[in-house]
Amino acid sequence: MKTIRMWVAVSALVIGAALMAGNRQETLYAAPQAPVSALRQFSGSPIDVDYQSANLRTVLRQLSEIGGINLVIDPSVPTALTVDLKLRQVPWDQVMDVVLRSSGLTYQLDGSVLRVLTREARTKELDDEVKQKKAAEAAPDLQTTRVRLNYATAAAIATLLEDAHLLSTRGSVEVEERTNMLIIKDTERDLAEIRTLLTDLDRPEPQVEIEARIVRTNRDTAKALGVQWGVNGRVASELGNTTGLAFPNNGTVGGRVIGDADSRQGPNDPRSSALERRATAVNLPATGASSAIGLSLGAINGAFGLDVALSALEHEGKARILSTPRVTTQNNQKAEITQGFQVPFQTVANNTVTVQYRDAALKLTVTPQITAANTVIMKIALENGTPDFSRAVNGNPSINTQRAETQVQVGDGVTTVIGGILQTTETTAIDETPGVSKIPLLGWLFKRNDERNESQELMIMITPRIIRG
């Protein structure tokens, strides 16, 4: 039935058995349900074995004697199983592991007691344990408790309890929206845990007051210097200075700007015609001049006239517009405030008139998050729009818009700049009479200088304040 070739290594077996008997608590195997990995390290004494059709139960008993462990063979293990193997210098615990796996068996190790059974029997035991656990949970009577929430929303908390599986398989939760109450039915143990959780969740959240400041500054300066002068010379019989010729007997020489019907810088002689009085040779006045000085010279008989006018402009303007929207909201809750009006836009398509409205307003949208470091993380969207009728298209004004969208972290009560725009426009214009404007010293009589500077600055500042209490 069997041949055991262990006499050659009998001394090694005796020594190994003595050593193992002195250490009864040694763990031979790892997880009892999973197959043993090929990389597993065995610590038993090496032995030589040679089994030929040996009874499995007898082999297991011999190996337990060598290892010095207690062995229990479950009745589910067939009595007719045999073992055929031959190994040299293999740790005895590895030999037992190979024998069990080859026979399709598993084991359960409890201290120094090794229990061998079939896989089917072990699976059934685990299923029975799960059923017993569920039966034990179902055994206690369910209790009902009512919890009225002060700050949290009952519907949100009920969803949290269900999604997080905080209720037992028999537990349930209902929401009473009118009184913001939870009606929970579960075991006493689960109810105690849920009450503790609700105490932590149903707490007042601090609020945040967000103040935004939008500062728009416009500065413009202008300097202009212009000149107008005209000359007129007349030869006419009424003046007694004819040429003495039949032709030309009389005439007029003077400067003239075509289309300048309002210019009357010639001699103030009632005998002269309107055309003769139009004598503006150089017409380069300062646009919108606030100051001017003139000089007129003429002959006693009105035969010759000279008129000079110098005009100058110097302008400096400043404008400052401050908008300060404020909004207060709870922690992690979005808030929006808008101040302004809507501008109608009319469109015509397929003989149908459609009116649409666009916002031209100051709008602040913010979502604050209070951190443990007493700072506030804010998602900010700020927009400031004003209608500009000077740039209207088909009667519809354009919307002058300043917008900023960002996420920042700011300390409590600290003001920070989240955006800024500076736009500067410089314009220099020189109008002159060709050629003569280049004459040294006298060239200024034939030119006009106009210098303008305009700057626009926009700053957007934000200040959060945490309100506790």
Side-chain angles (χ1 to χ4, degrees):
M1 294 295 294
K2 65 177 179 178
T3 302
I4 305 176
R5 300 180 56 188
M6 303 179 63
W7 305 107
V8 177
V10 63
S11 59
L13 294 178
V14 173
I15 295 173
L19 293 174
M20 297 307 296
N23 186 10
R24 297 289 183 178
Q25 301 300 323
E26 179 181 359
T27 300
L28 303 180
Y29 304 101
Q33 294 306 313
V36 180
S37 172
L39 300 178
R40 179 178 171 186
Q41 300 295 325
F42 295 92
S43 59
S45 301
I47 61 175
D48 296 342
V49 294
D50 186 359
Y51 293 108
Q52 295 181 358
S53 300
N55 184 268
L56 173 65
R57 292 174 176 263
T58 304
V59 172
L60 293 177
R61 289 178 178 275
Q62 290 178 352
L63 293 175
S64 66
E65 289 292 336
I66 295 173
I69 61 173
N70 300 314
L71 177 68
V72 177
I73 300 178
D74 191 79
S76 62
V77 178
T79 58
L81 290 179
T82 59
V83 177
D84 287 277
L85 60 89
K86 181 180 180 180
L87 301 173
R88 295 180 59 84
Q89 293 300 300
V90 176
W92 72 267
D93 49 354
Q94 185 176 3
V95 174
M96 180 171 284
D97 184 79
V98 171
V99 170
L100 293 177
R101 286 193 294 155
S102 301
S103 303
L105 302 176
T106 185
Y107 54 88
Q108 183 181 8
L109 185 62
D110 186 6
S112 62
V113 178
L114 180 69
R115 180 168 170 259
V116 179
L117 69 166
T118 61
R119 298 183 184 276
E120 293 78 7
R122 182 56 181 160
T123 301
K124 185 177 181 301
E125 286 183 356
L126 294 176
D127 292 341
D128 292 341
E129 290 177 1
V130 172
K131 293 179 181 179
Q132 184 178 4
K133 183 178 179 180
K134 290 183 178 180
E137 292 179 352
D141 294 334
L142 298 181
Q143 298 184 7
T144 302
T145 184
R146 296 181 296 274
V147 180
R148 176 173 292 181
L149 303 177
N150 297 318
Y151 307 102
T153 304
I157 296 297
T159 303
L160 174 64
L161 295 177
E162 294 174 351
D163 294 344
H165 304 288
L166 299 177
L167 301 170
S168 66
T169 55
R170 299 173 60 201
S172 63
V173 58
E174 299 294 335
V175 176
E176 211 292 308
E177 296 183 356
R178 185 178 64 87
T179 57
N180 198 36
M181 179 183 293
L182 292 175
I183 303 174
I184 308 172
K185 179 181 290 187
D186 213 329
T187 63
E188 179 62 29
R189 184 187 64 180
D190 292 327
L191 286 179
E193 295 179 357
I194 292 174
R195 291 192 191 98
T196 303
L197 176 63
L198 294 181
T199 301
D200 294 335
L201 295 179
D202 191 30
R203 292 183 177 179
E205 286 291 326
Q207 299 185 120
V208 182
E209 180 191 49
I210 298 98
E211 177 184 356
R213 294 183 182 179
I214 305 173
V215 181
R216 286 192 299 169
T217 304
N218 296 332
R219 299 183 180 90
D220 62 288
T221 59
K223 293 182 180 180
L225 179 63
V227 61
Q228 291 174 286
W229 62 269
V231 62
N232 192 306
R234 298 171 59 207
V235 177
S237 58
E238 63 268 20
L239 300 178
N241 61 345
T242 61
T243 62
L245 301 175
F247 179 84
N249 182 264
N250 59 67
T252 301
V253 177
R256 189 172 298 145
V257 177
I258 298 176
D260 189 8
D262 294 331
S263 178
R264 296 290 183 268
Q265 292 181 309
N268 189 11
D269 189 344
R271 295 168 297 177
S272 62
S273 65
L275 184 61
E276 291 173 335
R277 291 195 297 270
R278 296 192 59 214
T280 305
V282 177
N283 186 27
L284 297 174
T287 304
S290 58
S291 302
I293 186 173
L295 176 64
S296 295
L297 302 175
I300 191 171
N301 61 354
F304 182 80
L306 177 64
D307 192 1
V308 179
L310 297 178
S311 57
L313 167 68
E314 185 169 353
H315 168 77
E316 181 177 356
K318 294 182 180 180
R320 184 173 182 266
I321 302 175
L322 175 62
S323 302
T324 310
R326 291 185 181 182
V327 65
T328 302
T329 182
Q330 285 189 338
N331 187 26
N332 291 316
Q333 296 297 319
K334 181 179 179 181
E336 179 179 325
I337 185 172
T338 303
Q339 187 271 328
F341 53 90
Q342 291 184 322
V343 179
F345 287 84
Q346 180 175 312
T347 57
V348 180
N350 299 325
N351 296 325
T352 301
V353 179
T354 304
V355 178
Q356 297 179 343
Y357 291 87
R358 289 181 55 189
D359 290 334
L362 176 62
K363 180 187 295 184
L364 172 63
T365 304
V366 60
T367 303
Q369 177 185 347
I370 302 175
T371 67
N374 205 38
T375 61
V376 182
I377 299 175
M378 295 176 291
K379 293 182 180 179
I380 304 170
L382 184 62
E383 181 176 339
N384 187 24
T386 56
D388 188 353
F389 290 92
S390 64
R391 294 179 174 87
V393 178
N394 296 329
N396 299 323
S398 60
I399 305 298
N400 185 14
T401 304
Q402 297 88 38
R403 181 185 296 110
E405 185 171 350
T406 184
Q407 179 171 334
V408 294
Q409 180 174 351
V410 186
D412 181 20
V414 178
T415 301
T416 184
V417 178
I418 65 172
I421 300 174
L422 176 61
Q423 181 179 354
T424 302
T425 303
E426 295 183 358
T427 304
T428 301
I430 299 178
D431 300 319
E432 56 188 13
T433 303
V436 293
S437 62
K438 307 300 181 183
I439 299 174
L441 300 179
L442 297 179
W444 64 273
L445 291 173
F446 301 91
K447 67 174 60 176
R448 173 177 58 192
N449 294 328
D450 192 343
E451 297 181 358
R452 298 181 183 272
N453 187 304
E454 182 178 358
S455 64
Q456 297 179 349
E457 185 176 7
L458 171 68
M459 289 192 302
I460 303 175
M461 296 172 285
I462 202 82
T463 305
R465 297 181 181 88
I466 301 176
I467 303 175
R468 305 183 186 275

